[in-house]
Amino acid sequence: MNIGASTSCFYPLETEKSLGKVIDLGFKKAEIFFNSPSELEPDFVNTMKKQADDSGLEVVSLHPFSAALENTCIFGEYQRRYDDYIDLYKKHFHAAALLGAKFVVIHGALARQKRDIPKELYIERFASLIELGKQEGIKVCQENVVRFLSESTEFLKEMKKALGSDFNMVFDIKQAIRSGYDPFYVIDEMKDDIVHVHISDNTPDFDCLPPGKGSFDFARLFSELEKADYQGDYVIEIYSKGFDVEKELLTSRRFFEENF
């Protein structure tokens, strides 16, 4: 089992330097979290691709920096705003293709807002992202995220029903906990649709810790997903604030190597 790490762990360090740290720590899988429009330009993306290839690292997934804009610019009711911003997602999808990534991770729309969007519109817009992703050979995936529509497992089921085999999910342990769910409940309900997993540890007092520093049952996680014929990867996603991230990621990598 290859455990990867997200460049987002080192935010606000520049993206290429963050990827360098993931490489230096010995990881062979990574998720890249882009942080500005200029990083989507082909020259920059190709430089990062060479950086990964030279070290034998596989870029598994990509996370758009524009996640904070998705609520109003992609999933909002104002059609012209969608038309103006969709090219930004086309650039993300093309960058993913250049990097050889399989997945692009989407947060989506907020669960509670002044003017709730119709679920039918959300599904329609998400389907449009999926089709644009297909043109680049990548899968556009819905992540479960607290305070977003996707925090609800019932909403995820509605997406699955509407999108069918085009529905793919990124499962995040800490986001499930923050949304008030037992992570294993979410896995049981959505296991056939999970294609990528963000991992972190936790205790009753802390919902996001480096793997190996909490009480989360990783053996059960791997067992449950293996039984569901999960074929994807596991990427550590923790936050730099409050941690010595380099030290903790190295310790976490060794934790998995020694125990699984």
Side-chain angles (χ1 to χ4, degrees):
M1 176 190 306
N2 275 321
I3 301 292
S6 172
T7 62
S8 65
C9 296
F10 294 100
Y11 183 83
L13 187 68
E14 292 91 338
T15 304
E16 69 278 16
K17 293 179 182 177
S18 298
L19 182 61
K21 286 187 176 291
V22 171
I23 291 168
D24 290 343
L25 287 169
F27 290 98
K28 295 301 180 183
K29 305 271 187 175
E31 176 171 289
I32 292 180
F33 197 123
F34 281 112
N35 288 296
S36 69
S38 64
E39 294 176 358
L40 298 175
E41 295 302 317
D43 285 349
F44 185 91
V45 176
N46 286 328
T47 297
M48 293 195 72
K49 172 63 172 172
K50 186 177 186 304
Q51 184 181 4
D53 288 348
D54 288 349
S55 67
L57 177 137
E58 177 188 356
V59 178
V60 176
S61 53
L62 181 155
H63 204 307
F65 68 85
S66 49
L69 302 175
E70 287 168 6
N71 182 62
T72 57
C73 297
I74 298 298
F75 296 100
E77 294 177 280
Y78 198 71
Q79 182 65 39
R80 185 179 296 155
R81 191 183 297 137
Y82 169 87
D83 294 338
D84 286 348
Y85 276 87
I86 194 60
D87 281 350
L88 182 58
Y89 282 79
K90 292 178 182 178
K91 286 185 176 181
H92 275 100
F93 300 158
H94 186 59
L98 291 176
L99 288 164
K102 304 170 187 174
F103 311 116
V104 171
V105 184
I106 301 295
H107 284 186
L110 292 169
R112 288 164 286 281
Q113 47 192 304
K114 290 181 180 179
R115 181 182 173 92
D116 292 334
I117 67 168
K119 290 182 181 178
E120 296 78 13
L121 177 61
Y122 187 93
I123 299 296
E124 176 186 323
R125 293 287 174 78
F126 207 97
S128 73
L129 294 176
I130 289 171
E131 291 305 312
L132 291 171
K134 286 181 179 180
Q135 293 175 21
E136 294 285 0
I138 59 99
K139 292 181 178 180
V140 178
C141 309
Q142 175 70 69
E143 183 177 16
N144 61 304
V145 185
V146 67
R147 295 188 297 276
F148 285 72
L149 288 171
S150 60
E151 71 178 1
S152 165
T153 302
E154 291 306 312
F155 180 76
L156 294 171
K157 290 180 183 178
E158 290 184 51
M159 287 187 70
K160 166 64 176 178
K161 184 177 180 180
L163 296 170
S165 61
D166 282 337
F167 176 71
N168 292 284
M169 179 182 168
V170 175
F171 172 67
D172 189 302
I173 295 170
K174 63 184 173 298
Q175 296 291 347
I177 293 170
R178 290 173 179 179
S179 300
Y181 287 101
D182 179 339
F184 292 103
Y185 169 79
V186 181
I187 290 171
D188 187 57
E189 293 293 304
M190 306 303 302
K191 57 183 177 289
D192 294 335
D193 306 299
I194 297 172
V195 296
H196 186 52
V197 178
H198 289 163
I199 57 175
S200 55
D201 212 332
N202 56 77
T203 66
D205 297 318
F206 298 97
D207 58 23
C208 181
L209 292 170
K213 293 299 179 72
S215 56
F216 184 75
D217 192 344
F218 285 103
R220 182 181 174 189
L221 172 74
F222 300 143
S223 176
E224 293 291 330
L225 287 174
E226 182 179 356
K227 286 188 288 187
D229 196 31
Y230 177 68
Q231 301 295 314
D233 297 298
Y234 300 88
V235 169
I236 300 170
E237 187 184 73
I238 57 175
Y239 306 122
S240 60
K241 190 173 182 179
F243 299 123
D244 181 339
V245 177
E246 287 186 72
K247 177 182 176 181
E248 296 294 356
L249 284 179
L250 181 58
T251 300
S252 293
R253 182 174 67 77
R254 289 173 176 167
F255 164 75
F256 287 115
E257 290 174 346
E258 293 169 2
N259 292 281
F260 300 97

